[in-house]
Amino acid sequence: MGFELERTLRRLKPQRRVTPLARRPDAELPFVADGVRPGPPLLLDTAIYIDVLQGRSPPEVDELLRLRACQHSAVCLAELTHAFGRLDPRHPSTAAALEALAATLGDIPAHRLAPPDIATWGEGGVLAGLLFRLGGYQRGQERACLNDALIFLQAQRLGCALLSANVRDFDLLDQLRPGGRVLFYRRA
C-alpha cells in the first residue's frame, strides 16, 4: 500500500482547519470501566508499558490487558528503547529500570509487533502537523505529535482499540480523524 497525498489532503482538509482544538470533557470520552469485557484487540500506547512497570496501571486496565489480545507498535518500541541511550548509566536506579524494560520488551511476541505502513507514515505527518498547529503545542513537541499520530492511525489500520492514559493528545487526534477507537484510563 502506497501513500496518496491528494487523498489524505481531501480527508483531513488541513487548509480549512484554523480553529484551535480543545479537549472534550471526560464524560464525552470512553474510559476503561469496571466490568471489563472482551472486545477488539488493543494497540498499546507507550505510557501503558511504563505505567504497568511502575505499578500505576489501575486494576481494570490490568484485567483488560489479560482479557484482550494486544498488538504492539514499532513506534512505541522506539520510544521505549530510547531510554537505553538516554538514561545516565551512573544513576543508581538506571540498571534496574533498564533491566525491567528489557524484560518487558523481550515478552512482546514478534508476530504482534509491527511498524506503521507507508500510508500511515504519510498521513501521520499531515495529522501530526495539524495536531501541533491546532492543539497549541510548543516548539520541541513535534516528534511527540508525530509519534502519537502514527500510533493513532496504526490502531485504526489494524482494527484495534488504542489504549492510553494520554487523554489530551489522543482526544485531539480523534477529533481531527474520527473513526478510530480510543480507550482511556486514569493512572492509579
Side-chain angles (χ1 to χ4, degrees), residues 127-178:
L127 188 60
L130 280 168
L131 176 64
F132 181 81
R133 177 168 55 89
L134 301 176
Y137 293 86
Q138 302 298 313
R139 281 191 155 335
Q141 294 179 299
E142 293 91 347
R143 182 176 50 98
C145 288
L146 178 59
N147 288 350
D148 287 345
L150 290 170
I151 295 164
F152 178 80
L153 291 172
Q154 188 176 12
Q156 285 186 349
R157 292 217 190 331
L158 293 173
C160 294
L162 175 62
L163 179 62
S164 181
N166 185 348
V167 180
R168 181 178 188 269
D169 294 353
F170 289 110
D171 173 41
L172 298 182
L173 286 165
D174 191 49
Q175 291 177 53
L176 290 167
R177 177 75 158 73

Side-chain angles (χ1 to χ4, degrees), residues 20-153:
L21 294 170
R23 187 174 94 64
R24 294 175 286 193
D26 284 358
E28 295 179 24
L29 300 174
F31 279 83
V32 176
D34 296 326
V36 173
R37 292 183 295 273
L42 301 170
L43 183 70
L44 307 181
D45 181 32
T46 305
I48 188 67
Y49 300 92
I50 296 165
D51 289 343
V52 168
L53 284 170
Q54 294 179 345
R56 297 186 308 174
S57 57
E60 59 271 14
V61 167
D62 296 336
E63 178 64 21
L64 187 66
L65 292 171
R66 281 190 289 279
L67 196 58
R68 296 211 194 160
C70 295
Q71 298 292 333
H72 308 271
S73 174
V75 176
C76 296
L77 175 69
E79 288 183 330
L80 292 167
T81 58
H82 180 258
F84 288 88
R86 184 186 170 280
L87 294 180
D88 184 351
R90 298 168 294 183
H91 192 278
S93 64
T94 294
L98 294 180
E99 184 178 317
L101 188 53
T104 297
L105 294 172
D107 287 342
I108 296 174
H111 70 283
R112 301 245 180 192
L113 175 64
D117 62 22
I118 292 169
T120 300
W121 276 101
E123 186 172 339
V126 176
L127 188 60
L130 280 168
L131 176 64
F132 181 81
R133 177 168 55 89
L134 301 176
Y137 293 86
Q138 302 298 313
R139 281 191 155 335
Q141 294 179 299
E142 293 91 347
R143 182 176 50 98
C145 288
L146 178 59
N147 288 350
D148 287 345
L150 290 170
I151 295 164
F152 178 80
L153 291 172

